[in-house]
Amino acid sequence: MSVLQAARVPGERAANGRVLRLVKGGRERRAIEAGQVDAVLDPATGTAFLLPDARRALFLAGGPIANGLLAALPREDYRSLLGELEPVTLTSGEVLYEPGERIRHVYFLNDGQVSLLMVMVDRKALEVGLVGREGMVGVPLALGADASPVRALVQGSGSALRMKAASFCEALGRCLPLQRELDRYVFAKLVQARQTAACNRFHQVEARLARCLLMTGDRVRSDRFHLTHEFLADTLGVRRVGVTNAATALQRRKLISYHRGNIRILDRQGLRAASCGCYEIVRSLAG
């Protein structure tokens, strides 16, 4: 692999796993444009940032497919999509779409999670969906709509494969297995949304919080993660004091530890017992 030692340009930075500007003009830029460099080394942090062609080559090299939708495709169909898939890093707090905004890319998550929030006129928000490695952000495109009805907010940093909207629509038209898997995924999301609506109406906040934490742990594949009070309040449709009371109750039972948004599941079986039955239903649908 060819790595370029870059000079830090004042006021410029690297973000979202992509190099914005780490090199000065001249020979270094020409080497990148000619495809002679695979990565750029940031001297300030020692981090090497893979350039798009190198990242794509790693995926072409094979290995397990992390995203559930893509993994379900026949290998030949998956390979036919690789030329349009761009590996990207998603950072917690990053907004992929705002309500009414045109969808320019879809995202097949490998890890991390993206919260889908319905934003009201008074700017209050309520989570109406959560996407992890089992699915895709940008489902409206598969249903013939080109604008997002929700805010898509990254809640857990991770990686994804991004595809331009036009390329996705073209692939959807020619790839029957992709159509089939997306139909199943959309149906599962619809059932999950109905289950969650019933859960929010009939179940106690403590049980709903336990469900939310279990689902988050499943998606990030870890018992340690970070969720803010604001996010949990939006997810559960309660005030922050309701989150505090529910989290305190779970901590007293030694099921979780929770400090400044840093959460650790201490007793997964106990947390499952504290959760409502909706967790098992939603988990079975997530696949």
Side-chain angles (χ1 to χ4, degrees):
M1 176 179 285
S2 177
V3 179
L4 176 64
Q5 176 79 30
R8 169 65 72 172
V9 181
E12 296 180 336
R13 61 191 179 91
N16 296 334
R18 293 178 296 166
V19 176
L20 299 181
R21 284 175 175 252
L22 282 174
V23 297
K24 294 181 178 179
R27 184 173 59 185
E28 293 92 344
R29 289 192 181 280
R30 288 196 295 272
I32 291 175
E33 291 168 359
Q36 298 171 349
V37 176
D38 298 310
V40 174
L41 182 65
D42 180 359
T45 64
T47 303
F49 294 94
L50 286 177
L51 297 180
D53 286 346
R55 283 181 293 178
R56 187 174 290 114
L58 288 177
F59 281 93
L60 285 168
I65 303 169
N67 178 267
L69 281 174
L70 296 178
L73 298 177
R75 187 54 65 114
E76 184 177 343
D77 290 289
Y78 170 68
R79 286 174 180 161
S80 73
L81 301 176
L82 279 176
E84 302 296 335
L85 292 170
E86 175 192 6
V88 295
T89 298
L90 302 179
T91 305
S92 185
E94 180 182 356
V95 176
L96 304 182
Y97 322 127
E98 287 286 5
E101 187 174 293
R102 184 178 179 185
I103 298 174
R104 301 186 182 279
H105 297 89
V106 300
Y107 298 82
F108 296 93
L109 273 63
N110 297 320
D111 45 36
Q113 60 180 357
V114 174
S115 176
L116 307 180
L117 300 164
M118 185 64 68
V119 182
M120 308 304 289
V121 175
D122 59 4
R123 307 308 297 168
K124 291 181 180 178
L126 176 68
E127 186 184 75
V128 294
L130 193 64
V131 182
R133 59 191 175 92
E134 82 288 344
M136 182 192 83
V137 181
V139 160
L141 281 179
L143 302 175
D146 62 1
S148 175
V150 297
R151 174 183 295 156
L153 177 67
V154 179
Q155 285 295 344
S157 298
S159 64
L161 294 175
R162 183 175 71 177
M163 181 184 283
K164 291 179 180 178
S167 299
F168 171 76
C169 291
E170 182 182 343
L172 194 62
R174 71 169 187 266
C175 183
L176 185 59
L178 180 60
Q179 293 176 28
R180 216 166 27 233
E181 292 306 321
L182 278 166
D183 286 345
R184 291 172 180 164
Y185 176 65
V186 170
F187 174 75
K189 282 298 179 187
L190 178 61
V191 175
Q192 287 178 32
R194 291 173 173 173
Q195 187 71 36
T196 301
C199 179
N200 288 343
R201 172 64 179 84
F202 295 112
H203 295 153
Q204 297 296 317
V205 177
E206 185 179 328
R208 287 154 52 196
L209 177 60
R211 169 181 58 81
C212 174
L213 299 182
L214 287 166
M215 289 175 62
T216 298
D218 291 343
R219 283 182 167 88
V220 302
R221 288 178 282 186
S222 173
D223 284 337
R224 296 173 183 262
F225 42 86
H226 183 87
L227 296 175
T228 66
H229 253 57
E230 181 180 9
F231 167 70
L232 289 171
D234 288 344
T235 298
L236 301 174
V238 299
R239 293 184 300 167
R240 294 188 188 186
V241 65
V243 174
T244 299
N245 292 339
T248 299
L250 294 177
Q251 286 191 97
R252 284 175 180 163
R253 296 168 63 181
K254 301 187 184 305
L255 302 179
I256 67 168
S257 64
Y258 184 30
H259 181 67
R260 296 183 182 275
N262 295 314
I263 298 170
R264 181 184 176 191
I265 298 176
L266 302 175
D267 180 355
R268 175 166 279 271
Q269 288 303 113
L271 196 61
R272 288 176 73 165
S275 172
C276 55
C278 298
Y279 167 67
E280 299 297 342
I281 295 172
V282 172
R283 183 168 176 258
S284 68
L285 288 167

